Amino acid sequence: MPAFLSATENGVVLNVYVQPRASRNELVGVQGEELKVRLTSPPVDGEANRLCREYFAKLLRVSKSSVELVSGERSRHKRLLVAGGCLREVEERLAEHLMKA
């Protein structure tokens, strides 16, 4: 199991490093024990947090309401909970995108 993923009784937790104000939204790869993602939104008024949740919901093919910010509201280092997510499915869907990165 990758270091950036962990299973909990509520779902799957992702450790994410966010680079705001990028030219496009993209999953870059693994940086240390986190997934690195570039997002177009600035880190102002929660915009980067909102886009981060929406981006991972789309990437993992789950509803937006299934992805919630657990910690890191004002940090580039974030923890996202994919509520009700299956660890194996999340890992497989991320692997598809990491191979392209």
Side-chain angles (χ1 to χ4, degrees):
M1 175 171 57
F4 54 82
L5 282 178
S6 57
T8 69
E9 62 185 36
N10 298 325
V12 178
V13 174
L14 300 170
N15 295 323
V16 179
Y17 177 80
V18 175
Q19 179 185 338
R21 292 193 173 114
S23 59
R24 66 177 186 251
N25 297 325
E26 64 182 338
L27 186 60
V28 178
V30 179
Q31 179 173 306
E33 295 185 356
E34 298 173 307
L35 276 176
K36 183 175 180 181
V37 62
R38 292 185 182 132
L39 300 173
T40 56
S41 65
V44 178
D45 297 330
E47 285 299 309
N49 291 336
R50 182 189 55 76
L51 183 57
C52 185
R53 289 177 45 236
E54 290 174 0
Y55 179 75
F56 276 99
K58 183 177 179 181
L59 201 71
L60 298 172
R61 293 178 247 148
V62 297
S63 68
K64 292 177 189 176
S65 62
S66 295
V67 180
E68 67 181 84
L69 185 64
V70 177
S71 66
E73 187 174 325
R74 297 187 174 269
S75 171
R76 289 178 181 225
H77 303 275
K78 302 186 183 299
R79 294 182 69 218
L80 300 174
L81 172 67
V82 181
C86 169
L87 182 64
R88 195 183 99 252
E89 285 179 17
V90 170
E91 189 175 359
E92 287 173 1
R93 290 178 182 164
L94 288 173
E96 291 172 18
H97 295 280
L98 286 171
M99 288 189 305
K100 297 174 190 174

